[in-house]
PDB file of all heavy atoms in Angstrom:
ATOM      1  N   PHE W   7       2.764  16.546   4.578  1.00  0.00           N
ATOM      2  CA  PHE W   7       2.772  17.850   4.011  1.00  0.00           C
ATOM      3  C   PHE W   7       4.202  18.280   3.671  1.00  0.00           C
ATOM      4  O   PHE W   7       4.453  18.810   2.585  1.00  0.00           O
ATOM      5  CB  PHE W   7       2.152  18.854   4.992  1.00  0.00           C
ATOM      6  CG  PHE W   7       2.260  20.284   4.610  1.00  0.00           C
ATOM      7  CD1 PHE W   7       1.357  20.751   3.619  1.00  0.00           C
ATOM      8  CD2 PHE W   7       3.199  21.103   5.066  1.00  0.00           C
ATOM      9  CE1 PHE W   7       1.412  22.120   3.220  1.00  0.00           C
ATOM     10  CE2 PHE W   7       3.284  22.422   4.657  1.00  0.00           C
ATOM     11  CZ  PHE W   7       2.371  22.909   3.736  1.00  0.00           C
ATOM     12  N   GLU W   8       5.053  17.985   4.583  1.00  0.00           N
ATOM     13  CA  GLU W   8       6.487  18.343   4.334  1.00  0.00           C
ATOM     14  C   GLU W   8       7.038  17.620   3.116  1.00  0.00           C
ATOM     15  O   GLU W   8       7.737  18.220   2.278  1.00  0.00           O
ATOM     16  CB  GLU W   8       7.332  18.022   5.567  1.00  0.00           C
ATOM     17  CG  GLU W   8       8.720  18.648   5.449  1.00  0.00           C
ATOM     18  CD  GLU W   8       9.608  18.229   6.609  1.00  0.00           C
ATOM     19  OE1 GLU W   8       9.199  17.374   7.399  1.00  0.00           O
ATOM     20  OE2 GLU W   8      10.751  18.848   6.697  1.00  0.00           O
ATOM     21  N   VAL W  18       9.968  22.746  -8.772  1.00  0.00           N
ATOM     22  CA  VAL W  18      10.112  24.146  -9.208  1.00  0.00           C
ATOM     23  C   VAL W  18      11.625  24.447  -9.502  1.00  0.00           C
ATOM     24  O   VAL W  18      11.921  25.073 -10.531  1.00  0.00           O
ATOM     25  CB  VAL W  18       9.581  25.133  -8.091  1.00  0.00           C
ATOM     26  CG1 VAL W  18       9.959  26.540  -8.379  1.00  0.00           C
ATOM     27  CG2 VAL W  18       8.097  25.000  -7.925  1.00  0.00           C
ATOM     28  N   LEU W  21      12.338  22.938 -12.834  1.00  0.00           N
ATOM     29  CA  LEU W  21      11.723  23.720 -13.951  1.00  0.00           C
ATOM     30  C   LEU W  21      12.525  25.021 -14.171  1.00  0.00           C
ATOM     31  O   LEU W  21      12.705  25.399 -15.320  1.00  0.00           O
ATOM     32  CB  LEU W  21      10.304  24.137 -13.512  1.00  0.00           C
ATOM     33  CG  LEU W  21       9.220  23.072 -13.737  1.00  0.00           C
ATOM     34  CD1 LEU W  21       7.900  23.595 -13.246  1.00  0.00           C
ATOM     35  CD2 LEU W  21       9.088  22.721 -15.206  1.00  0.00           C
ATOM     36  N   GLU W  22      13.015  25.617 -13.080  1.00  0.00           N
ATOM     37  CA  GLU W  22      13.768  26.864 -13.178  1.00  0.00           C
ATOM     38  C   GLU W  22      15.116  26.745 -13.777  1.00  0.00           C
ATOM     39  O   GLU W  22      15.681  27.692 -14.247  1.00  0.00           O
ATOM     40  CB  GLU W  22      13.816  27.525 -11.794  1.00  0.00           C
ATOM     41  CG  GLU W  22      12.456  28.144 -11.434  1.00  0.00           C
ATOM     42  CD  GLU W  22      12.436  28.820 -10.085  1.00  0.00           C
ATOM     43  OE1 GLU W  22      13.331  28.538  -9.283  1.00  0.00           O
ATOM     44  OE2 GLU W  22      11.539  29.646  -9.849  1.00  0.00           O
ATOM     45  N   GLY W  24      15.513  25.233 -16.487  1.00  0.00           N
ATOM     46  CA  GLY W  24      15.175  25.609 -17.899  1.00  0.00           C
ATOM     47  C   GLY W  24      15.866  24.777 -18.951  1.00  0.00           C
ATOM     48  O   GLY W  24      15.724  25.086 -20.132  1.00  0.00           O
ATOM     49  N   ILE W  26      15.422  21.528 -19.537  1.00  0.00           N
ATOM     50  CA  ILE W  26      14.801  20.231 -19.754  1.00  0.00           C
ATOM     51  C   ILE W  26      13.840  20.395 -20.959  1.00  0.00           C
ATOM     52  O   ILE W  26      13.400  21.471 -21.200  1.00  0.00           O
ATOM     53  CB  ILE W  26      13.969  19.805 -18.505  1.00  0.00           C
ATOM     54  CG1 ILE W  26      13.229  21.012 -17.906  1.00  0.00           C
ATOM     55  CG2 ILE W  26      14.870  19.126 -17.508  1.00  0.00           C
ATOM     56  CD1 ILE W  26      12.224  20.599 -16.866  1.00  0.00           C
ATOM     57  N   ALA W  31       9.013  19.423 -19.154  1.00  0.00           N
ATOM     58  CA  ALA W  31       8.626  20.593 -18.364  1.00  0.00           C
ATOM     59  C   ALA W  31       7.113  20.651 -18.109  1.00  0.00           C
ATOM     60  O   ALA W  31       6.690  20.870 -16.997  1.00  0.00           O
ATOM     61  CB  ALA W  31       9.158  21.886 -19.029  1.00  0.00           C
ATOM     62  N   TYR W  35       5.292  20.313 -14.638  1.00  0.00           N
ATOM     63  CA  TYR W  35       4.341  21.352 -14.214  1.00  0.00           C
ATOM     64  C   TYR W  35       3.070  20.794 -13.765  1.00  0.00           C
ATOM     65  O   TYR W  35       2.486  21.121 -12.714  1.00  0.00           O
ATOM     66  CB  TYR W  35       4.131  22.382 -15.310  1.00  0.00           C
ATOM     67  CG  TYR W  35       3.161  23.461 -14.939  1.00  0.00           C
ATOM     68  CD1 TYR W  35       3.514  24.451 -14.003  1.00  0.00           C
ATOM     69  CD2 TYR W  35       1.846  23.513 -15.440  1.00  0.00           C
ATOM     70  CE1 TYR W  35       2.649  25.440 -13.615  1.00  0.00           C
ATOM     71  CE2 TYR W  35       0.973  24.467 -15.043  1.00  0.00           C
ATOM     72  CZ  TYR W  35       1.359  25.452 -14.166  1.00  0.00           C
ATOM     73  OH  TYR W  35       0.462  26.381 -13.768  1.00  0.00           O
ATOM     74  N   SER W  42       0.790  20.903  -5.409  1.00  0.00           N
ATOM     75  CA  SER W  42       0.326  22.135  -4.655  1.00  0.00           C
ATOM     76  C   SER W  42      -1.144  22.049  -4.205  1.00  0.00           C
ATOM     77  O   SER W  42      -1.496  22.436  -3.130  1.00  0.00           O
ATOM     78  CB  SER W  42       0.621  23.421  -5.427  1.00  0.00           C
ATOM     79  OG  SER W  42      -0.355  23.542  -6.408  1.00  0.00           O
ATOM     80  N   CYS W  45      -1.043  19.898  -1.176  1.00  0.00           N
ATOM     81  CA  CYS W  45      -0.541  20.596  -0.044  1.00  0.00           C
ATOM     82  C   CYS W  45      -1.685  21.476   0.565  1.00  0.00           C
ATOM     83  O   CYS W  45      -1.860  21.478   1.735  1.00  0.00           O
ATOM     84  CB  CYS W  45       0.620  21.512  -0.445  1.00  0.00           C
ATOM     85  SG  CYS W  45       2.151  20.607  -0.710  1.00  0.00           S
ATOM     86  N   ARG W  46      -2.339  22.189  -0.330  1.00  0.00           N
ATOM     87  CA  ARG W  46      -3.437  23.055   0.115  1.00  0.00           C
ATOM     88  C   ARG W  46      -4.505  22.226   0.789  1.00  0.00           C
ATOM     89  O   ARG W  46      -5.023  22.594   1.897  1.00  0.00           O
ATOM     90  CB  ARG W  46      -4.135  23.742  -1.089  1.00  0.00           C
ATOM     91  CG  ARG W  46      -3.266  24.987  -1.579  1.00  0.00           C
ATOM     92  CD  ARG W  46      -4.036  25.591  -2.708  1.00  0.00           C
ATOM     93  NE  ARG W  46      -3.155  26.602  -3.275  1.00  0.00           N
ATOM     94  CZ  ARG W  46      -2.906  27.804  -2.764  1.00  0.00           C
ATOM     95  NH1 ARG W  46      -3.553  28.145  -1.651  1.00  0.00           N
ATOM     96  NH2 ARG W  46      -2.107  28.652  -3.255  1.00  0.00           N
ATOM     97  N   LEU W  49      -3.431  21.315   4.253  1.00  0.00           N
ATOM     98  CA  LEU W  49      -3.594  22.436   5.168  1.00  0.00           C
ATOM     99  C   LEU W  49      -5.004  22.679   5.521  1.00  0.00           C
ATOM    100  O   LEU W  49      -5.372  22.821   6.672  1.00  0.00           O
ATOM    101  CB  LEU W  49      -2.981  23.757   4.591  1.00  0.00           C
ATOM    102  CG  LEU W  49      -1.420  23.802   4.483  1.00  0.00           C
ATOM    103  CD1 LEU W  49      -1.067  25.147   3.993  1.00  0.00           C
ATOM    104  CD2 LEU W  49      -0.768  23.493   5.755  1.00  0.00           C
ATOM    105  N   ASP W  50      -5.880  22.634   4.471  1.00  0.00           N
ATOM    106  CA  ASP W  50      -7.282  22.835   4.685  1.00  0.00           C
ATOM    107  C   ASP W  50      -7.873  21.821   5.727  1.00  0.00           C
ATOM    108  O   ASP W  50      -8.694  22.152   6.546  1.00  0.00           O
ATOM    109  CB  ASP W  50      -8.075  22.718   3.389  1.00  0.00           C
ATOM    110  CG  ASP W  50      -7.800  23.824   2.388  1.00  0.00           C
ATOM    111  OD1 ASP W  50      -7.222  24.835   2.923  1.00  0.00           O
ATOM    112  OD2 ASP W  50      -8.027  23.698   1.169  1.00  0.00           O
ATOM    113  N   GLN W  53      -5.833  18.668  11.094  1.00  0.00           N
ATOM    114  CA  GLN W  53      -6.517  18.514  12.306  1.00  0.00           C
ATOM    115  C   GLN W  53      -5.420  18.157  13.377  1.00  0.00           C
ATOM    116  O   GLN W  53      -4.738  17.141  13.252  1.00  0.00           O
ATOM    117  CB  GLN W  53      -7.521  17.299  12.226  1.00  0.00           C
ATOM    118  CG  GLN W  53      -8.394  17.148  13.419  1.00  0.00           C
ATOM    119  CD  GLN W  53      -9.475  18.300  13.489  1.00  0.00           C
ATOM    120  OE1 GLN W  53     -10.136  18.622  12.537  1.00  0.00           O
ATOM    121  NE2 GLN W  53      -9.520  18.891  14.657  1.00  0.00           N
ATOM    122  N   ILE W  54      -5.302  19.009  14.336  1.00  0.00           N
ATOM    123  CA  ILE W  54      -4.218  18.755  15.292  1.00  0.00           C
ATOM    124  C   ILE W  54      -4.423  17.476  16.076  1.00  0.00           C
ATOM    125  O   ILE W  54      -5.533  17.091  16.389  1.00  0.00           O
ATOM    126  CB  ILE W  54      -4.034  19.968  16.249  1.00  0.00           C
ATOM    127  CG1 ILE W  54      -2.721  19.940  16.908  1.00  0.00           C
ATOM    128  CG2 ILE W  54      -5.193  20.057  17.283  1.00  0.00           C
ATOM    129  CD1 ILE W  54      -2.229  21.258  17.408  1.00  0.00           C
ATOM    130  N   LYS W  55      -3.319  16.843  16.319  1.00  0.00           N
ATOM    131  CA  LYS W  55      -3.439  15.541  17.084  1.00  0.00           C
ATOM    132  C   LYS W  55      -2.647  15.705  18.356  1.00  0.00           C
ATOM    133  O   LYS W  55      -1.497  16.180  18.320  1.00  0.00           O
ATOM    134  CB  LYS W  55      -2.742  14.442  16.177  1.00  0.00           C
ATOM    135  CG  LYS W  55      -3.032  13.054  16.689  1.00  0.00           C
ATOM    136  CD  LYS W  55      -2.456  12.066  15.691  1.00  0.00           C
ATOM    137  CE  LYS W  55      -2.137  10.725  16.363  1.00  0.00           C
ATOM    138  NZ  LYS W  55      -1.171   9.963  15.657  1.00  0.00           N
ATOM    139  N   ILE W  56      -3.218  15.373  19.416  1.00  0.00           N
ATOM    140  CA  ILE W  56      -2.618  15.595  20.774  1.00  0.00           C
ATOM    141  C   ILE W  56      -2.516  14.260  21.496  1.00  0.00           C
ATOM    142  O   ILE W  56      -3.495  13.540  21.650  1.00  0.00           O
ATOM    143  CB  ILE W  56      -3.345  16.630  21.636  1.00  0.00           C
ATOM    144  CG1 ILE W  56      -3.417  17.985  20.899  1.00  0.00           C
ATOM    145  CG2 ILE W  56      -2.698  16.755  22.994  1.00  0.00           C
ATOM    146  CD1 ILE W  56      -4.423  18.956  21.367  1.00  0.00           C
ATOM    147  N   THR W  57      -1.206  13.965  21.869  1.00  0.00           N
ATOM    148  CA  THR W  57      -0.979  12.752  22.675  1.00  0.00           C
ATOM    149  C   THR W  57      -0.476  13.248  23.983  1.00  0.00           C
ATOM    150  O   THR W  57       0.431  14.024  24.057  1.00  0.00           O
ATOM    151  CB  THR W  57       0.046  11.864  21.962  1.00  0.00           C
ATOM    152  OG1 THR W  57      -0.408  11.634  20.652  1.00  0.00           O
ATOM    153  CG2 THR W  57       0.135  10.540  22.699  1.00  0.00           C
ATOM    154  N   GLU W  58      -1.058  12.681  25.063  1.00  0.00           N
ATOM    155  CA  GLU W  58      -0.547  13.050  26.425  1.00  0.00           C
ATOM    156  C   GLU W  58       0.101  11.846  27.036  1.00  0.00           C
ATOM    157  O   GLU W  58      -0.471  10.753  27.089  1.00  0.00           O
ATOM    158  CB  GLU W  58      -1.701  13.629  27.259  1.00  0.00           C
ATOM    159  CG  GLU W  58      -2.174  14.956  26.707  1.00  0.00           C
ATOM    160  CD  GLU W  58      -2.981  15.779  27.747  1.00  0.00           C
ATOM    161  OE1 GLU W  58      -3.378  15.132  28.794  1.00  0.00           O
ATOM    162  OE2 GLU W  58      -3.190  16.963  27.503  1.00  0.00           O
ATOM    163  N   ASP W  59       1.326  12.081  27.495  1.00  0.00           N
ATOM    164  CA  ASP W  59       2.054  10.977  28.114  1.00  0.00           C
ATOM    165  C   ASP W  59       2.220  11.420  29.620  1.00  0.00           C
ATOM    166  O   ASP W  59       3.063  12.290  29.905  1.00  0.00           O
ATOM    167  CB  ASP W  59       3.413  10.885  27.397  1.00  0.00           C
ATOM    168  CG  ASP W  59       4.277   9.754  28.057  1.00  0.00           C
ATOM    169  OD1 ASP W  59       3.929   9.304  29.158  1.00  0.00           O
ATOM    170  OD2 ASP W  59       5.282   9.383  27.452  1.00  0.00           O
TER     171      ASP W  59
ATOM    172  N   LYS Y 137       6.735  17.929  12.274  1.00  0.00           N
ATOM    173  CA  LYS Y 137       5.580  17.007  12.274  1.00  0.00           C
ATOM    174  C   LYS Y 137       5.057  16.805  13.636  1.00  0.00           C
ATOM    175  O   LYS Y 137       3.870  16.733  13.898  1.00  0.00           O
ATOM    176  CB  LYS Y 137       5.990  15.663  11.616  1.00  0.00           C
ATOM    177  CG  LYS Y 137       6.316  15.717  10.171  1.00  0.00           C
ATOM    178  CD  LYS Y 137       6.603  14.324   9.653  1.00  0.00           C
ATOM    179  CE  LYS Y 137       7.367  14.314   8.371  1.00  0.00           C
ATOM    180  NZ  LYS Y 137       8.770  14.775   8.494  1.00  0.00           N
ATOM    181  N   ARG Y 151      -1.467  24.018  28.151  1.00  0.00           N
ATOM    182  CA  ARG Y 151      -2.694  24.585  27.568  1.00  0.00           C
ATOM    183  C   ARG Y 151      -2.332  25.705  26.533  1.00  0.00           C
ATOM    184  O   ARG Y 151      -2.876  25.735  25.463  1.00  0.00           O
ATOM    185  CB  ARG Y 151      -3.689  25.156  28.610  1.00  0.00           C
ATOM    186  CG  ARG Y 151      -4.265  24.206  29.605  1.00  0.00           C
ATOM    187  CD  ARG Y 151      -5.038  23.140  28.930  1.00  0.00           C
ATOM    188  NE  ARG Y 151      -4.605  21.798  29.421  1.00  0.00           N
ATOM    189  CZ  ARG Y 151      -4.626  20.679  28.755  1.00  0.00           C
ATOM    190  NH1 ARG Y 151      -5.135  20.668  27.518  1.00  0.00           N
ATOM    191  NH2 ARG Y 151      -4.222  19.583  29.252  1.00  0.00           N
ATOM    192  N   PRO Y 162      -2.314  23.551  12.850  1.00  0.00           N
ATOM    193  CA  PRO Y 162      -2.998  22.324  13.260  1.00  0.00           C
ATOM    194  C   PRO Y 162      -2.442  21.132  12.454  1.00  0.00           C
ATOM    195  O   PRO Y 162      -2.923  19.979  12.699  1.00  0.00           O
ATOM    196  CB  PRO Y 162      -4.456  22.612  12.798  1.00  0.00           C
ATOM    197  CG  PRO Y 162      -4.361  23.709  11.890  1.00  0.00           C
ATOM    198  CD  PRO Y 162      -3.221  24.529  12.254  1.00  0.00           C
ATOM    199  N   LEU Y 163      -1.482  21.379  11.607  1.00  0.00           N
ATOM    200  CA  LEU Y 163      -0.937  20.274  10.842  1.00  0.00           C
ATOM    201  C   LEU Y 163      -0.082  19.334  11.661  1.00  0.00           C
ATOM    202  O   LEU Y 163       0.203  18.217  11.291  1.00  0.00           O
ATOM    203  CB  LEU Y 163       0.011  20.925   9.772  1.00  0.00           C
ATOM    204  CG  LEU Y 163       0.401  20.152   8.551  1.00  0.00           C
ATOM    205  CD1 LEU Y 163      -0.841  19.832   7.726  1.00  0.00           C
ATOM    206  CD2 LEU Y 163       1.366  20.931   7.737  1.00  0.00           C
ATOM    207  N   CYS Y 164       0.284  19.755  12.909  1.00  0.00           N
ATOM    208  CA  CYS Y 164       1.221  18.996  13.631  1.00  0.00           C
ATOM    209  C   CYS Y 164       0.611  18.073  14.680  1.00  0.00           C
ATOM    210  O   CYS Y 164      -0.670  18.113  14.870  1.00  0.00           O
ATOM    211  CB  CYS Y 164       2.183  19.900  14.387  1.00  0.00           C
ATOM    212  SG  CYS Y 164       1.372  20.679  15.769  1.00  0.00           S
ATOM    213  N   GLU Y 165       1.443  17.177  15.194  1.00  0.00           N
ATOM    214  CA  GLU Y 165       1.007  16.376  16.331  1.00  0.00           C
ATOM    215  C   GLU Y 165       1.734  16.915  17.546  1.00  0.00           C
ATOM    216  O   GLU Y 165       2.937  17.199  17.448  1.00  0.00           O
ATOM    217  CB  GLU Y 165       1.367  14.937  16.044  1.00  0.00           C
ATOM    218  CG  GLU Y 165       0.998  14.031  17.140  1.00  0.00           C
ATOM    219  CD  GLU Y 165       1.439  12.586  16.875  1.00  0.00           C
ATOM    220  OE1 GLU Y 165       1.804  12.254  15.676  1.00  0.00           O
ATOM    221  OE2 GLU Y 165       1.411  11.775  17.812  1.00  0.00           O
ATOM    222  N   ILE Y 166       1.009  17.034  18.643  1.00  0.00           N
ATOM    223  CA  ILE Y 166       1.663  17.463  19.855  1.00  0.00           C
ATOM    224  C   ILE Y 166       1.809  16.248  20.784  1.00  0.00           C
ATOM    225  O   ILE Y 166       0.910  15.426  20.966  1.00  0.00           O
ATOM    226  CB  ILE Y 166       0.844  18.516  20.585  1.00  0.00           C
ATOM    227  CG1 ILE Y 166       0.595  19.750  19.768  1.00  0.00           C
ATOM    228  CG2 ILE Y 166       1.472  18.889  21.940  1.00  0.00           C
ATOM    229  CD1 ILE Y 166      -0.271  20.814  20.384  1.00  0.00           C
ATOM    230  N   TYR Y 167       3.079  16.106  21.195  1.00  0.00           N
ATOM    231  CA  TYR Y 167       3.266  15.004  22.154  1.00  0.00           C
ATOM    232  C   TYR Y 167       3.692  15.606  23.459  1.00  0.00           C
ATOM    233  O   TYR Y 167       4.763  16.172  23.690  1.00  0.00           O
ATOM    234  CB  TYR Y 167       4.469  14.089  21.640  1.00  0.00           C
ATOM    235  CG  TYR Y 167       4.564  12.816  22.389  1.00  0.00           C
ATOM    236  CD1 TYR Y 167       3.808  11.669  22.067  1.00  0.00           C
ATOM    237  CD2 TYR Y 167       5.434  12.704  23.499  1.00  0.00           C
ATOM    238  CE1 TYR Y 167       3.899  10.503  22.795  1.00  0.00           C
ATOM    239  CE2 TYR Y 167       5.557  11.504  24.199  1.00  0.00           C
ATOM    240  CZ  TYR Y 167       4.791  10.428  23.849  1.00  0.00           C
ATOM    241  OH  TYR Y 167       4.910   9.241  24.535  1.00  0.00           O
ATOM    242  N   ALA Y 168       2.709  15.639  24.390  1.00  0.00           N
ATOM    243  CA  ALA Y 168       2.846  16.348  25.653  1.00  0.00           C
ATOM    244  C   ALA Y 168       3.241  15.327  26.707  1.00  0.00           C
ATOM    245  O   ALA Y 168       2.510  14.318  26.963  1.00  0.00           O
ATOM    246  CB  ALA Y 168       1.565  17.043  26.078  1.00  0.00           C
ATOM    247  N   VAL Y 169       4.413  15.519  27.303  1.00  0.00           N
ATOM    248  CA  VAL Y 169       4.951  14.613  28.357  1.00  0.00           C
ATOM    249  C   VAL Y 169       4.801  15.299  29.674  1.00  0.00           C
ATOM    250  O   VAL Y 169       5.273  16.439  29.907  1.00  0.00           O
ATOM    251  CB  VAL Y 169       6.355  14.237  28.053  1.00  0.00           C
ATOM    252  CG1 VAL Y 169       6.861  13.197  29.053  1.00  0.00           C
ATOM    253  CG2 VAL Y 169       6.609  13.792  26.697  1.00  0.00           C
ATOM    254  N   ASN Y 170       4.147  14.618  30.614  1.00  0.00           N
ATOM    255  CA  ASN Y 170       4.075  15.204  31.957  1.00  0.00           C
ATOM    256  C   ASN Y 170       5.401  15.218  32.615  1.00  0.00           C
ATOM    257  O   ASN Y 170       6.126  14.237  32.657  1.00  0.00           O
ATOM    258  CB  ASN Y 170       3.040  14.410  32.772  1.00  0.00           C
ATOM    259  CG  ASN Y 170       2.726  15.109  34.050  1.00  0.00           C
ATOM    260  OD1 ASN Y 170       2.668  16.332  34.085  1.00  0.00           O
ATOM    261  ND2 ASN Y 170       2.512  14.345  35.114  1.00  0.00           N
ATOM    262  N   LYS Y 188      11.745  10.971  26.762  1.00  0.00           N
ATOM    263  CA  LYS Y 188      10.515  10.364  26.213  1.00  0.00           C
ATOM    264  C   LYS Y 188      10.099  11.025  24.915  1.00  0.00           C
ATOM    265  O   LYS Y 188       9.713  10.377  23.955  1.00  0.00           O
ATOM    266  CB  LYS Y 188       9.408  10.515  27.283  1.00  0.00           C
ATOM    267  CG  LYS Y 188       9.398   9.387  28.334  1.00  0.00           C
ATOM    268  CD  LYS Y 188       8.162   9.533  29.121  1.00  0.00           C
ATOM    269  CE  LYS Y 188       8.202   8.732  30.436  1.00  0.00           C
ATOM    270  NZ  LYS Y 188       7.097   9.099  31.382  1.00  0.00           N
ATOM    271  N   MET Y 263       0.057  28.750   9.533  1.00  0.00           N
ATOM    272  CA  MET Y 263      -0.626  28.254   8.360  1.00  0.00           C
ATOM    273  C   MET Y 263      -0.607  29.217   7.239  1.00  0.00           C
ATOM    274  O   MET Y 263      -0.371  28.857   6.066  1.00  0.00           O
ATOM    275  CB  MET Y 263      -2.073  27.865   8.730  1.00  0.00           C
ATOM    276  CG  MET Y 263      -2.208  26.702   9.615  1.00  0.00           C
ATOM    277  SD  MET Y 263      -1.935  25.167   8.732  1.00  0.00           S
ATOM    278  CE  MET Y 263      -3.627  24.826   8.247  1.00  0.00           C
ATOM    279  N   TYR Y 267       0.473  28.628   3.318  1.00  0.00           N
ATOM    280  CA  TYR Y 267      -0.308  28.890   2.114  1.00  0.00           C
ATOM    281  C   TYR Y 267       0.431  29.822   1.148  1.00  0.00           C
ATOM    282  O   TYR Y 267       0.475  29.633  -0.060  1.00  0.00           O
ATOM    283  CB  TYR Y 267      -1.666  29.522   2.497  1.00  0.00           C
ATOM    284  CG  TYR Y 267      -2.729  28.543   2.947  1.00  0.00           C
ATOM    285  CD1 TYR Y 267      -3.289  28.582   4.216  1.00  0.00           C
ATOM    286  CD2 TYR Y 267      -3.249  27.569   2.105  1.00  0.00           C
ATOM    287  CE1 TYR Y 267      -4.234  27.736   4.657  1.00  0.00           C
ATOM    288  CE2 TYR Y 267      -4.193  26.705   2.524  1.00  0.00           C
ATOM    289  CZ  TYR Y 267      -4.740  26.754   3.785  1.00  0.00           C
ATOM    290  OH  TYR Y 267      -5.713  25.870   4.156  1.00  0.00           O
ATOM    291  N   SER Y 271       1.691  29.290  -2.683  1.00  0.00           N
ATOM    292  CA  SER Y 271       1.407  30.181  -3.747  1.00  0.00           C
ATOM    293  C   SER Y 271       2.713  30.593  -4.479  1.00  0.00           C
ATOM    294  O   SER Y 271       2.704  30.677  -5.664  1.00  0.00           O
ATOM    295  CB  SER Y 271       0.718  31.428  -3.231  1.00  0.00           C
ATOM    296  OG  SER Y 271      -0.467  31.072  -2.577  1.00  0.00           O
ATOM    297  N   GLU Y 274       3.820  27.852  -6.635  1.00  0.00           N
ATOM    298  CA  GLU Y 274       3.011  27.778  -7.798  1.00  0.00           C
ATOM    299  C   GLU Y 274       3.383  28.828  -8.847  1.00  0.00           C
ATOM    300  O   GLU Y 274       3.494  28.511 -10.031  1.00  0.00           O
ATOM    301  CB  GLU Y 274       1.524  27.990  -7.389  1.00  0.00           C
ATOM    302  CG  GLU Y 274       0.877  26.675  -6.838  1.00  0.00           C
ATOM    303  CD  GLU Y 274      -0.462  27.017  -6.252  1.00  0.00           C
ATOM    304  OE1 GLU Y 274      -0.801  28.193  -5.976  1.00  0.00           O
ATOM    305  OE2 GLU Y 274      -1.231  26.002  -5.958  1.00  0.00           O
ATOM    306  N   ARG Y 276       6.154  30.400  -9.192  1.00  0.00           N
ATOM    307  CA  ARG Y 276       7.469  30.167  -9.766  1.00  0.00           C
ATOM    308  C   ARG Y 276       7.393  29.059 -10.822  1.00  0.00           C
ATOM    309  O   ARG Y 276       8.005  29.140 -11.899  1.00  0.00           O
ATOM    310  CB  ARG Y 276       8.483  29.763  -8.683  1.00  0.00           C
ATOM    311  CG  ARG Y 276       8.981  30.931  -7.954  1.00  0.00           C
ATOM    312  CD  ARG Y 276       9.830  30.499  -6.700  1.00  0.00           C
ATOM    313  NE  ARG Y 276      10.933  29.677  -7.035  1.00  0.00           N
ATOM    314  CZ  ARG Y 276      11.662  28.995  -6.117  1.00  0.00           C
ATOM    315  NH1 ARG Y 276      11.330  29.114  -4.872  1.00  0.00           N
ATOM    316  NH2 ARG Y 276      12.659  28.248  -6.521  1.00  0.00           N
ATOM    317  N   SER Y 280       8.143  29.679 -14.839  1.00  0.00           N
ATOM    318  CA  SER Y 280       9.236  28.995 -15.605  1.00  0.00           C
ATOM    319  C   SER Y 280       8.676  28.174 -16.772  1.00  0.00           C
ATOM    320  O   SER Y 280       9.353  28.088 -17.829  1.00  0.00           O
ATOM    321  CB  SER Y 280      10.105  28.160 -14.660  1.00  0.00           C
ATOM    322  OG  SER Y 280       9.328  27.195 -14.133  1.00  0.00           O
ATOM    323  N   VAL Y 281       7.506  27.608 -16.593  1.00  0.00           N
ATOM    324  CA  VAL Y 281       6.891  26.858 -17.666  1.00  0.00           C
ATOM    325  C   VAL Y 281       6.480  27.820 -18.832  1.00  0.00           C
ATOM    326  O   VAL Y 281       6.721  27.500 -20.026  1.00  0.00           O
ATOM    327  CB  VAL Y 281       5.670  25.991 -17.216  1.00  0.00           C
ATOM    328  CG1 VAL Y 281       4.850  25.594 -18.421  1.00  0.00           C
ATOM    329  CG2 VAL Y 281       6.130  24.769 -16.533  1.00  0.00           C
ATOM    330  N   GLN Y 284       9.431  28.722 -20.761  1.00  0.00           N
ATOM    331  CA  GLN Y 284       9.905  27.641 -21.587  1.00  0.00           C
ATOM    332  C   GLN Y 284       8.961  27.575 -22.837  1.00  0.00           C
ATOM    333  O   GLN Y 284       9.489  27.400 -23.964  1.00  0.00           O
ATOM    334  CB  GLN Y 284       9.773  26.339 -20.882  1.00  0.00           C
ATOM    335  CG  GLN Y 284      10.809  26.132 -19.777  1.00  0.00           C
ATOM    336  CD  GLN Y 284      11.575  24.912 -19.937  1.00  0.00           C
ATOM    337  OE1 GLN Y 284      12.245  24.788 -21.016  1.00  0.00           O
ATOM    338  NE2 GLN Y 284      11.515  23.987 -18.984  1.00  0.00           N
TER     339      GLN Y 284
END
Side-chain angles (χ1 to χ4, degrees):
Chain W
F7 175 78
E8 190 185 11
V18 171
L21 280 175
E22 284 178 343
I26 42 171
Y35 179 71
S42 78
C45 286
R46 281 180 189 284
L49 288 187
D50 292 342
Q53 188 70 53
I54 198 158
K55 193 175 153 201
I56 299 165
T57 307
E58 292 197 347
D59 180 348
Chain Y
K137 292 184 198 70
R151 295 299 128 210
L163 201 63
C164 72
E165 180 182 345
I166 300 177
Y167 192 85
V169 186
N170 190 35
K188 273 188 197 167
M263 290 281 272
Y267 278 118
S271 301
E274 279 171 345
R276 279 170 59 190
S280 61
V281 161
Q284 289 236 59

